Structures are given as structure tokens and as C-alpha cells.
Amino acid sequence: MDAAANFIPLDLFDIAYLLIVGFIGGLVSGFIGSGGAFVLTPAMMSLGVPGIVAVASNMCHKFPKALVGAIKRARYGQVDVKLGLVLGVSAEAGVLYGAHLQESIQRAFGAAGSNLYVSLAFVLVLAVVGGYVMWDAVSAYRSGTSRAQEKVSRLARRIQAVDIPYTMLYFRSLDARVSVLFTIPIGFATGMLAATIAVGGFIGVPGMHYLLGAPSLMASATELVIAFVMGLGGTIKYSWSGLVDIRLAMIILAGSLFGIQLGAIGTTYVKPYMIKVVMGTIMVVVLVSRALVIPVYLSELELIGPLAGGTAKVLKGVSFGIMMFALVTGAMIILQALRKGMRTEREAQAVAAPAVAVMPLPGGAAQVLPQLSPLGRFERFLVASDGSEYSAGAVREALRLAKRCGARLRAVTFVAADQEHETLGEQILKHELDAARVHLEQVAAQATAAGVDCEIEVVQGFSVHDRIVDESERMRADLIVVGRRGRRGLARMMVGDATLKLIGGAHCSVLVVPRAAEVRGRRFVLASDGSRFGDAAAAAAGNLAKRCETPVTVVSVAVPSHPETRRREAPGVVERIVRALRSDGVDADGEVAQGLAADMIVAAAARTGADLIIMGSHGRTGFERLVLGSNTERVLNRTQCAVLVVKAA
Amino acid sequence: MAPVTAAAAGRKILRTLALGVLTAALYAGLFLIEDLVVRLSALGGWYGLVPVAIAFVFSLSHGAFTGYFWDLLGVRARK
């Protein structure tokens, strides 16, 4: 007989049918790591495809699907490749042994015996594992811990504690060393089940989670690596015998690749227990499906009496229908979870968005409007910290000031990221994001200890100062608190100074805190040249001084190079501001200095023992700053105490 | 920032279209030479590597296309 006769002609209905089943199967596989394949073999057989070709073609669609799914989920940092490959090797042995066992049973008991063995395997595994997974998911939900991090099971901890020399391997997903003697039986059982019911993941995922201690999200993602290894090995085995119908495999793959991407995306929106809910639900429904056909096979083997006419056909039809129902139910749960997760995410972003309207510009682009910040308001602080020693002072003083002012604090850490970074350096990016989150959680813990209301967020983008300014606008911050890295000379000329760029771009005040500076409220030095920028600084200084009950020294500098008329204005400027501050209940005095403005301001701070210099910003940036220079920049470069730069807005 | 974002979005659309066209061409090619592929696959042995190679090539092109496809529709993973 011509081997190609195994391959049936396909019409449009067949193609559409396989595409849809492939999509649903892919969706479930992308989400729980496997589980989509078990209906594909019967689905193909229902079109007239011989059983062995259906199994071979199913296998051939499985390995590229698993490869794409594994790559996708690896981008989310969910895949432990090493664990997947180690389990994959023993799973391959399990597949070969499982197939051999199937053939032996078929030879000894015929097709009915083989089918009974498959159905019993389904029922036994699904009852034990599926029941436990479902019970675990429901327990987590009922106990209210469904939103919490998963805990490593007691059994997994015991297995991790067993040290067998020369067999120990470290696995990232477990963050522990485990003996390969424990991974071999899990992989082998996974492979055997895959050869028997086409879904090895029903043992592989729970095995990695409950026995080895991998988080369920990582277990389901790592299962895709095992499925790839098993699928590739199985495909080569079958294609060597000329049994793979590549047309069937590629049509199913066309649908399943859309599904598997969607399922993988879905995992990023759900809590870990949802993986168990979907897996448990499918397993329990499939269990019912397979239990229904057991009497048919028992009857065929004459272990029970013959069934009434047509009963066997009805039972097989209902069984297949229930199996499809299981898959569709799983797909619906995933799509619903994805829809809900995306909506919640959008709502969260809308809440974080600025209350002011975003007006479209004539060119079609939109930008965030500057806030209408009353001068000297200290209600919302944004502290930007990179976790380095340079940011330590900023975090410390932001907490201190927030407590004194009763302000809300938002701590952010910037991680450079764009499309190229995400594609080329997933692991590096993930490492940076993890480190940023750990640092921010430490800041949040400090805030809680200090009694300050604090939110944390990792922000990503191209440039640090732009993103921090954006964040300050989004939360309508009154104050941005940053550290000072103090880049000087050639380095500053080449790459610029992020702090100065931030001050130039910010619409609210910026507090720059060198690493050792402390704002204890001993005395503030307020620098003013009598301009509206100086008045803005005076308003902010008065407000802050009242809150901190701190005396203020007003300094105005008569710069020798300035015209005589301007130099004569300095005493008047000081007198006007001191009077205004005193009338507001602030302990204030003043002095007029002669010399270079920045030097005199820094000297006044040192002489009076001030711990904060407050000054207005003329907001010069770019070429203007290069030519005219910036007093703010000079003061920042010369002083060791904190500097509050007030923007006139 | 806006021009960079617009350029990136444009590049993404172009990449999606290119991968879509490539994937469609691969499927069209497979069914155009359907008889030949089926005959070779059925031979088995070293010819059995034909379906394996086809599966790899399709997964790379089609997998990348579906990723960009959902991204363009706004279905993205949560950061």
C-alpha cells in the first residue's frame, strides 16, 4: 500500500475546523504549559485521519508550538531552561518506554485493551493529580491567600534538603539545589503520560510545583521546554517512519500559535492560583469524559456484558463532546481572566494619570500639561532613587520631610529600557527590574517604620530625567527629591548632568540631597536676587520654615560686575523678604554679601550652620546655560548641604 | 519622545506586515507543492527530516508574526 494513502485530502471545512481546535488548544497550552493536545488526536481522527498519523501529526505541531510558547514566556522571565532540559531528557526516555508499553498492550489485548489502558491512565492520573490541584486552588482562594506569594510545599522543602553527593544541581526556579535523582522519575512519568494521553504536563507541572518547589507560573512555563524536547524527539521518531502529515501539523500550528501567544500573555495578568484553577478544571472535566467510555472498552474485552445497541456510540460521542467542553471551558476562563486583568490594568493607569486634561497639540501629539502648583505647597513628594549610596541621602531626607509636612511619598526607581533592550537583554533587564523592586520595597519598609504614606514604582524609559519629570506630572508632585552623583569636568560636558536636566525640565520644586547631607531644621539660607524667581523661593522657604519651625537667613548678593543700580537694590530685597517672613511668624534675619553669588550663598550657609539652601531657578537650559552659566549649578557643585531649587512655574 | 515613539510604531507595523506576508507565502508554498511534500514525508528515513525542517521554519516566521500581531492589537503582557 502506498504510504501517502495515509494522508487524506483536505477541504476548507477541515482546515477551518483544525484551525479553531488548534487555536483553543494553543491558548490552553500557553497558559498552563500543556493540556491542549489531548483533543487534537481525536479531532483529526474524526476527519478520517488514521490514528497513528493523527498522533504523529499532533506531535509535529507540538514541538514548534512549545518552542514559540517557551520563548515568549522566557521573555517574561518565567522559564527555567536548565530544569526544562534536565526533565526533558528523562521525559524522552519516558516517552519511548510509554510507547513501547502501549504497543505491548495492543499486541496482547488488541485496540480495546489499549484504549482501556489509556482511559484508566486518564482517570487515575486526573483523579489524583487533578483533584489535588483543584483542592489546592480552592483552598488558596478560600483562605484569602490567593493574592499572596505561593509557598514552597513541605514535601518540596524536604526534597530540596536531601543532599546526595555528585547528583546535586542548582535550579533558578527553585532557588535551590536538588538531586537529579528526584528529577528523573518526575521527567520519566511526564514522558510516559505524554506517550499515553498526549498531555505529559498533567504530571510535569504539578511535579515541578509540589515536589520540587517551583512557583506554578514557572512550572507551567518550564513545561513548555519539556514539551519541546519530547515533541522534537517524538516527531523525529514518527517522521522516520513516514507517518507525519505536515499539512495537518502546520494547519493546527497556524491556529495554535495565535492561541499560545495569547495564553502566555494571559499568565502575566493572573494570580498564580489561576493556573491551578484552569488546570484543575480541565483535568476534572476530562476525567468525567474518559470515565464514561470505560464501560465500552470493558464490554469490548468481554469483562462485562455487552452494551445495549447504540450505547457504545453514544458514550463515545458524549465523551468526545465533554472533552471539547473541557478545553473550551479552560479557554473561556483564560480569556475572561485576560480581559479582566487588562481592564484592571487600564483602570489602574487611569487612576495614576494626571487629573488635568491632556490637550491634543495641533500636530496630533499629546503632552502632559504642567501642573498649577501653588508655591510652597508640600503635600506630594516624589523621591527618585537608584539604590546607590548617592541616593541614600535623598531617601532619608524625603522620608524626614514627608513626615514633618504630613506629605504623601512616591518612591520611584528608573530602569533604562526600550524595545531593543527588551529584545536583546531580557535577562539583564529582568535582573535590573528585580533589583529595583527589592530596593523600593526596602524604601517602602522604611516609610512604614517612619509612619509615612508611601507608594513605590519602577519606571522605565529612555532618559531618567524625562521619566522622572513625567512621573512628577502624573502624580502632580509638589517636590521631587533626588540625590547628587556630582559628575564634574569632562564627564559632565560629555554626558550632561541628570540632576541639572531634571531641574531644568521639572515644573515643581526639586530638593537635591548630597549623600551626607541632613535637613534637621537647624537653619535655612534663602538666596534671592529680588526677581520673581527669588520671591517664589521666599514663599516656599516661609512655608517650609513654619512647618519645620526653623529660622531663616535671607541672603542677597551684590555682585561686583552688576550695574550699580542693581547692587544698591540688594539691602531692599533682604529687608522686604525678612519683613514678609516675620509677618508670617517665621524667625528671620538677613544679610547682604559682596562677591560671586554662588560663593557667597555657600559661605553664608557654612557660616550660619544652615542645613538647607533655598533658591529660585531662572530655568536656564541648553545654550543659554552654557553661555550665562547657572547659579544653581555652581551652588550645587560647591556645597555639601541640601539645596531646594524652587521653580517659579 | 513623540517622534521616536511614532518611528518605533511604524517599524513595528512594517515588521508585522513583512512577517505576515512571509508566513502567508510559506503556507501558500506548502499547499502549492502539497503533492511533493506529502510524497517525500511518506518516504520516511532521512526524508523524514523534511517535515521537521518545515515545522522549524514555520514556527520561527509564524511565531514572530503572531507575537507582533497581538501586540499591534494592544494585547500585551503586563509590565
Side-chain angles (χ1 to χ4, degrees):
Chain A
M1 184 183 154
D2 181 10
N6 278 329
F7 302 159
I8 61 162
L10 296 168
D11 60 24
L12 273 180
F13 170 79
D14 299 337
I15 293 172
Y17 173 66
L18 292 175
L19 277 174
I20 293 168
V21 178
F23 173 76
I24 299 172
L27 185 63
V28 173
S29 293
F31 196 79
I32 65 174
S34 65
F38 61 86
V39 292
L40 290 171
T41 303
M44 281 186 271
M45 286 169 72
S46 69
L47 294 176
V49 178
I52 188 77
V53 176
V55 170
S57 304
N58 187 359
M59 194 73 89
C60 182
H61 110 279
K62 205 168 150 182
F63 86 82
K65 178 183 77 175
L67 175 66
V68 171
I71 291 172
K72 185 85 175 173
R73 292 189 65 175
R75 286 188 176 166
Y76 308 147
Q78 297 173 348
V79 175
D80 185 340
V81 179
K82 189 174 168 188
L83 180 61
L85 292 176
V86 167
L87 284 169
V89 171
S90 48
E92 196 64 65
V95 169
L96 295 175
Y97 182 72
H100 169 73
L101 193 63
Q102 276 268 52
E103 286 164 14
S104 304
I105 291 172
Q106 187 146 6
R107 270 199 304 275
F109 302 101
S114 170
N115 286 337
L116 181 64
Y117 162 66
V118 169
S119 294
L120 284 174
F122 254 115
V123 171
L124 192 70
V125 171
L126 299 190
V128 176
V129 184
Y132 184 75
V133 170
M134 203 64 189
W135 171 82
D136 189 34
V138 171
S139 303
Y141 188 78
R142 283 200 180 149
S143 66
T145 57
S146 57
R147 303 180 74 82
Q149 281 293 311
E150 290 176 319
K151 285 182 184 162
V152 176
S153 71
R154 204 179 301 164
L155 181 56
R157 278 204 302 271
R158 279 187 190 169
I159 286 176
Q160 290 176 4
V162 178
D163 190 344
I164 304 172
Y166 307 113
T167 65
M168 302 302 286
L169 279 179
Y170 175 82
F171 296 107
R172 187 176 67 89
S173 58
L174 318 179
D175 194 20
R177 281 154 56 85
V178 163
S179 168
V180 286
L181 297 181
F182 288 112
T183 67
I184 287 171
I186 295 172
F188 192 81
T190 303
M192 264 197 78
L193 197 69
T196 312
I197 65 172
V199 196
F202 284 169
I203 280 188
V205 178
M208 279 184 270
H209 178 58
Y210 295 114
L211 300 181
L212 299 181
S216 54
L217 264 176
M218 292 194 85
S220 65
T222 303
E223 173 61 30
L224 288 164
V225 178
I226 305 173
F228 167 72
V229 175
M230 288 191 302
L232 183 60
T235 302
I236 291 172
K237 176 179 173 285
Y238 284 118
S239 63
W240 197 263
S241 306
L243 293 168
V244 172
D245 187 341
I246 190 67
R247 300 165 310 152
L248 289 174
M250 291 304 99
I251 292 167
I252 297 171
L253 185 69
S256 70
L257 284 187
F258 281 102
I260 202 161
Q261 299 262 9
L262 204 56
I265 292 169
T267 60
T268 65
Y269 285 96
V270 297
K271 297 290 166 200
Y273 85 102
M274 275 305 293
I275 305 277
K276 294 176 191 167
V277 168
V278 173
M279 185 175 248
T281 304
I282 290 176
M283 289 169 92
V284 170
V285 180
V286 172
L287 159 73
V288 175
S289 153
R290 297 318 298 175
L292 271 178
V293 288
I294 286 180
V296 177
Y297 303 131
L298 287 174
S299 165
E300 286 174 8
L301 288 170
E302 296 178 348
L303 292 171
I304 60 170
L307 296 176
T311 308
K313 201 175 172 189
V314 170
L315 284 176
K316 281 183 179 174
V318 172
S319 168
F320 182 66
I322 292 176
M323 210 188 270
M324 288 294 280
F325 171 73
L327 203 59
V328 172
T329 304
M332 296 303 288
I333 297 173
I334 296 165
L335 289 175
Q336 175 70 6
L338 179 63
R339 195 183 63 83
K340 202 171 155 192
M342 288 180 71
R343 194 180 60 201
T344 309
E345 184 81 354
R346 274 198 301 272
E347 284 170 359
Q349 282 174 357
V351 169
V356 290
V358 176
M359 303 285 286
L361 292 176
Q367 70 173 32
V368 180
L369 284 179
Q371 63 183 66
L372 303 172
S373 173
L375 293 171
R377 190 171 71 181
F378 293 100
E379 292 170 5
R380 298 177 189 210
F381 293 1
L382 173 79
V383 60
S385 166
D386 60 5
S388 70
E389 55 180 318
Y390 300 101
S391 298
V395 172
R396 188 184 58 242
E397 297 314 311
L399 287 170
R400 193 200 306 264
L401 267 184
K403 192 173 183 187
R404 281 193 172 177
C405 299
R408 282 168 51 197
L409 185 66
R410 188 178 180 86
V412 298
T413 292
F414 175 84
V415 174
D418 51 41
Q419 282 247 310
E420 279 67 29
H421 272 90
E422 285 182 19
T423 311
L424 297 174
E426 284 295 330
Q427 292 305 318
I428 297 168
L429 181 61
K430 185 185 172 295
H431 182 259
E432 287 185 9
L433 287 171
D434 288 345
R437 283 189 200 105
V438 169
H439 167 61
L440 285 176
E441 275 159 18
Q442 287 168 349
V443 174
Q446 287 177 41
T448 307
V452 172
D453 185 9
C454 178
E455 293 172 2
I456 56 173
E457 187 174 356
V458 179
V459 295
Q460 290 178 264
F462 288 108
S463 84
V464 59
H465 50 276
D466 282 343
R467 283 297 285 123
I468 293 173
V469 170
D470 285 350
E471 280 302 309
S472 70
E473 291 305 302
R474 261 159 50 91
M475 68 172 286
R476 291 174 291 156
D478 303 313
L479 181 69
I480 300 172
V481 187
V482 289
R484 180 98 172 108
R485 201 168 275 271
R487 192 178 275 134
R488 291 171 190 224
L490 186 62
R492 192 177 68 79
M493 280 179 68
M494 296 291 284
V495 298
D497 185 313
T499 308
L500 294 172
K501 286 178 184 167
L502 175 65
I503 292 169
H507 299 292
C508 62
S509 300
V510 179
L511 175 62
V512 183
V513 186
R515 134 177 75 159
E518 289 189 58
V519 187
R520 291 186 177 278
R522 286 192 302 270
R523 179 170 291 274
F524 297 161
V525 161
L526 165 65
S528 175
D529 57 0
S531 68
R532 62 190 172 91
F533 306 107
D535 283 1
N543 201 338
L544 196 60
K546 271 198 295 182
R547 288 172 187 270
C548 301
E549 298 174 343
T550 302
V552 177
T553 296
V554 183
V555 178
S556 190
V557 183
V559 183
S561 60
H562 283 173
E564 175 66 22
T565 47
R566 191 168 162 190
R567 276 186 276 141
R568 266 187 289 174
E569 283 175 5
V573 168
V574 171
E575 192 188 334
R576 182 169 60 85
I577 296 175
V578 168
R579 202 167 49 233
L581 289 174
R582 284 178 180 165
S583 69
D584 216 15
V586 176
D587 176 8
D589 57 26
E591 62 180 60
V592 176
Q594 299 237 357
L596 289 173
D599 289 347
M600 293 301 104
I601 294 166
V602 172
R607 193 174 56 254
T608 59
D611 45 19
L612 179 67
I613 296 171
I614 303 171
M615 58 194 300
S617 168
H618 284 237
R620 290 186 188 115
T621 53
F623 183 71
E624 196 183 3
R625 185 169 68 82
L626 196 67
V627 175
L628 299 176
S630 158
N631 264 331
T632 310
E633 182 179 349
R634 292 190 196 105
V635 170
L636 285 171
N637 284 339
R638 285 166 172 74
T639 186
Q640 290 303 311
C641 76
V643 178
L644 175 63
V645 182
V646 180
K647 303 297 290 266
Chain B
M1 297 291 282
V4 175
T5 309
R11 273 203 304 275
K12 201 183 285 178
I13 291 171
L14 271 180
R15 220 175 288 177
T16 311
L17 281 175
L19 285 167
V21 169
L22 176 65
T23 306
L26 285 173
Y27 274 97
L30 176 67
F31 283 94
L32 274 176
I33 53 164
E34 183 181 350
D35 291 339
L36 175 68
V37 172
V38 165
R39 239 187 1 259
L40 288 177
S41 300
L43 288 175
W46 288 106
Y47 289 104
L49 293 182
V50 171
V52 177
I54 291 174
F56 260 118
V57 173
F58 274 53
S59 70
L60 291 177
S61 164
H62 192 25
F65 166 66
T66 49
Y68 280 110
F69 173 81
W70 289 122
D71 193 46
L72 269 190
L73 290 186
V75 183
R76 300 186 185 102
R78 190 170 68 173
K79 293 277 181 190

